[in-house]
Amino acid sequence: FSKLGQGDSAGAEFDDLVDAVDALGAAGIADPDRVGITGGSYGGYATAWCATRYIERFKAGVFNDAASTEIYKGLTTEIPVEDRDVHTLADPWTKWDFRLERSPIFHAEKSRTALLIAGGTADTRVHPAQSLQLYRALKLLGRAPVRYVRYPGEGHGNARAASRDDYARRLMRWMEHFVLEGRSELPPWELGPEVAAESPVDEG
């Protein structure tokens, strides 16, 4: 079961997420109109996919350090062999049409899900351009709230306590703002008086 996703990026394994949302809604455990999704790295890829491909099921999403364009992910990562042998089962310069269709950015025009994108500027596992491209596409389209937070000097996952704290606060506020409160406009950039005035981030 754990290997069903190999060679099938964003296929059966992400369909499981959507099926789980539907099942929880049908059971009355979750409110189908107030569902958020979040994750980092490959979980961030799942978040970006669900926020662009399955927009009717997700009110908001938050991800960090994640791929949005499968076409060149394997050519810009520090782990190209692992990416091929564990995930894609194909060399990164092959299966162009499949990789394009399984890229969240390919579905960007459909997106109506409020999306918070975050990532370190020194990430060598998933190149920061992956975040920037999806942010730029969604921003230009202007059909859903989107924000991009960059953490200077951070790699694949924040190492500094201040960066981790900032990200956690932004994630919680994003979900409260869009999922719990049902708002449609962006929340303020500033986090509030409880956060140090010297923020470790810059906005895209």
Side-chain angles (χ1 to χ4, degrees), residues 27-150:
I29 298 172
D31 182 347
D33 295 323
R34 295 198 302 174
V35 177
I37 182 169
T38 184
S41 194
Y42 202 75
Y45 171 49
T47 298
W49 177 257
C50 289
T52 54
R53 180 66 177 79
Y54 290 103
I55 59 171
E56 68 281 0
R57 289 179 173 86
F58 298 95
K59 195 76 173 177
V62 178
F63 78 77
N64 66 322
D65 306 307
S68 66
T69 310
E70 285 290 297
I71 279 186
Y72 75 87
K73 182 191 66 165
L75 295 170
T76 57
T77 182
E78 66 184 352
I79 54 165
V81 175
E82 178 182 325
D83 187 67
R84 179 194 66 202
D85 294 346
V86 175
H87 295 297
T88 64
L89 302 184
D91 287 316
W93 53 86
T94 64
K95 300 177 66 176
W96 295 107
D97 291 341
F98 177 80
R99 291 176 190 274
L100 177 61
E101 194 277 330
R102 296 301 174 91
S103 297
I105 200 167
F106 182 72
H107 302 280
E109 286 188 301
K110 306 170 188 173
S111 185
R112 301 295 186 275
T113 301
L115 190 61
L116 176 61
I117 301 168
T121 61
D123 189 355
T124 55
R125 185 67 49 85
V126 178
H127 197 280
Q130 294 273 355
S131 292
L132 178 60
Q133 287 184 339
L134 184 58
Y135 166 75
R136 186 62 51 77
L138 294 174
K139 187 74 171 180
L140 289 172
L141 285 164
R143 296 174 180 172
V146 62
R147 175 167 284 160
Y148 177 27
V149 181
R150 297 182 295 239

Side-chain angles (χ1 to χ4, degrees), residues 172-183:
M172 290 186 291
R173 186 180 64 177
W174 194 266
M175 293 301 184
E176 290 174 358
H177 188 84
F178 290 107
V179 179
L180 296 181
E181 298 174 7
R183 296 176 182 267

